[in-house]
Amino acid sequence: MVVAGLLVCAGCTTGSDEDRGSDPAPQAALSLASLDLGWSRAQALDAGDPPPAPSGVDPATYDRMAASLVSWAEATTLDKTVWHSASPIDTVADALPDRAAATLTKQAAAAVSPRLAVANVFADGVTVLGAPQVTTAWQVSKAKDEAGKPYVVLELQTRAAYEVRMGADGPVRVIGMLRVHGLSAYPDTTEDFGVSSGWQEFGAGDCTLALDDQLVPESDLDETRADLKAFQRVGDADEVEMPDLGDDEQVDEDYLRRCRAGQA
C-alpha cells in the first residue's frame, strides 16, 4: 500500500547535502563543437556546380535538372518549416516541377515513414539548435531502361549534421542525415523528369523513425559517436555514397513489425 502525503513549507529544501550526492549525474553533451567536423553551418545551400552534362544531353534540360535539385535539397534539409511539419511534402513539392512533385508525393505515400521519406523531420520535443553543418556532392550517370533507351541521372546528396536538444533542459546531441535527391531524363525530356531519392540517419533512435516517422536522438552515446564517425567519413568525401545497410537495418514493413514487437 502506498500512502501519499503533502508537506507545505515556505523557503524549504528537500533533503540534505548528503542526499544531493544521490541525484543522477547530468548526461554528457555531444555538440557540433565537440565533434569538430570542420564543416560550415548553412543558412542556404551552397551546392557548387554540377558535373558537366554528358554528351547527348540537352544543356538547357540539364540546367533545369540541376536547379530543381538544388531547390529540392534546400527544402528537405534547410527549410525550418519542414523540421516539425505534419505534412512536409507540401513544402518540398513546391520546390519541384509539377510532374516530378506528383511522382515524389506518390512515392512518399507508399513509404513506411512518409514524412522522413521527403524531408528531415524532428519530433515535437526536439529543438534544432541553429543551422546545421552541411556538405554536398553531385553525381551524374547514364543508364538504359528495359527497352534499351538511354537516359541520364543527376543526383545531389546533402550531408547535414543537426545539433539538437531533447526537451527543455535535456542534453545536447547531434543527428546526421544523408539524403540523395535524383532526377532523370531521356534525350527528348523537357519537364517530365523521373524521380529517385534515399535517406539515412546517424545518431537517431531507430524505431522512433519507423513507428513515429520522426527523428529523436539515440539514447546510447557510444553508439551515437560510432554512427557519427561513419557519417563524417561520407560527409568529407567528394563522391555520393550511401553506406551499405544489412537487411535488418532497412526501414521497411518487416522492420516496422519488429519495432512494434520490441524485437528491433
Side-chain angles (χ1 to χ4, degrees):
M1 182 175 65
V2 176
V3 178
L6 176 63
L7 172 65
V8 179
C9 62
C12 65
T13 61
T14 57
S16 64
D17 289 341
E18 289 78 15
D19 292 332
R20 293 191 190 105
S22 63
D23 290 343
Q27 297 185 55
L30 178 61
S31 65
L32 287 174
S34 68
L35 287 176
D36 192 22
L37 298 176
W39 307 351
S40 298
R41 285 192 183 258
Q43 300 290 344
L45 191 65
D46 181 8
D49 295 327
S55 61
V57 177
D58 177 62
T61 298
Y62 191 77
D63 288 347
R64 281 195 296 273
M65 293 170 68
S68 295
L69 285 171
V70 172
S71 297
W72 179 11
E74 187 161 75
T76 65
T77 304
L78 295 178
D79 192 323
K80 296 179 181 179
T81 65
V82 308
W83 291 349
H84 296 94
S85 174
S87 184
I89 187 61
D90 296 339
T91 299
V92 174
D94 285 343
L96 286 166
D98 289 345
R99 291 185 180 181
T103 300
L104 181 65
T105 301
K106 184 176 180 179
Q107 292 173 351
V112 170
S113 301
R115 292 195 300 165
L116 287 172
V118 297
N120 301 341
V121 180
F122 299 85
D124 287 343
V126 175
T127 301
V128 180
L129 305 175
Q133 293 183 351
V134 179
T135 68
T136 61
W138 290 94
Q139 178 172 281
V140 64
S141 58
K142 297 181 77 173
K144 292 183 179 180
D145 64 15
E146 294 179 353
K149 188 175 181 180
Y151 61 93
V152 64
V153 182
L154 182 61
E155 295 174 309
L156 174 59
Q157 183 182 52
T158 53
R159 305 84 163 256
Y162 298 88
E163 190 172 77
V164 301
R165 176 180 285 117
M166 187 70 184
D169 55 359
V172 172
R173 292 286 187 267
V174 173
I175 293 176
M177 286 292 290
L178 299 180
R179 190 171 290 275
V180 174
H181 316 74
L183 294 175
S184 57
Y186 289 104
D188 56 352
T189 296
T190 56
E191 293 291 344
D192 190 12
F193 302 124
V195 176
S196 58
S197 62
W199 61 276
Q200 196 169 336
E201 57 77 24
F202 298 78
D206 294 339
C207 275
T208 301
L209 59 87
L211 294 171
D212 300 327
D213 195 11
Q214 58 193 9
L215 298 168
V216 299
E218 165 64 50
S219 58
D220 187 320
L221 196 56
D222 289 337
E223 184 173 335
T224 297
R225 290 185 188 278
D227 265 7
L228 292 174
K229 186 175 182 180
F231 169 73
Q232 182 177 7
R233 181 187 61 78
V234 176
D236 284 339
D238 295 329
E239 299 80 22
V240 172
E241 178 190 348
M242 295 294 273
D244 291 335
L245 293 177
D247 291 341
D248 61 343
E249 295 180 282
Q250 300 285 344
V251 182
D252 53 18
E253 291 293 343
D254 180 64
Y255 188 84
L256 181 60
R257 283 193 294 271
R258 286 187 283 120
C259 282
R260 286 172 173 164
Q263 298 171 347

